[in-house]
Amino acid sequence: MIAGLVHVTHYGPYALMLALICGGLVYKVGIFEGLLIAMAIHAIVHFMVYTKHDNMPGRAVIKRYFDNLKKDSSSVS
C-alpha cells in the first residue's frame, strides 16, 4: 500500500491526502468501512466544490455524476 502512494502523488495533493485518510481509516475500522467513509468524504468534497465554487445547483451536480458514470461504464466492455 505504501508503494502505491508514490503513484498517487502524480495526481496531486488532494489525491494524496484522500489516500492517506483512506489508509488510516482502513487500518482503524476495517477495509469495507474505511473505503466507504473515504468515498463519502470524496463525494461531500466534490459536491461542495461544485455547488459553492462553480455555483451549480445540487440537482445538476448529481445528474452530472450519474451521466459520467453511465458514460464510463459503457466504455468498459
Side-chain angles (χ1 to χ4, degrees), residues 53-71:
H53 184 265
D54 293 344
N55 294 324
M56 284 179 81
R59 189 178 297 247
V61 173
I62 294 170
K63 183 179 180 332
R64 180 178 176 184
Y65 171 78
F66 283 112
D67 289 345
N68 286 338
L69 193 62
K70 286 179 191 174
K71 182 179 70 169

Side-chain angles (χ1 to χ4, degrees), residues 35-46:
L35 290 173
L36 199 62
I37 294 168
M39 285 179 14
I41 291 169
H42 180 63
I44 290 168
V45 167
H46 270 269

Side-chain angles (χ1 to χ4, degrees), residues 23-39:
L25 286 168
V26 165
Y27 179 74
K28 280 299 223 187
V29 297
I31 191 160
F32 180 74
E33 293 86 356
L35 290 173
L36 199 62
I37 294 168
M39 285 179 14

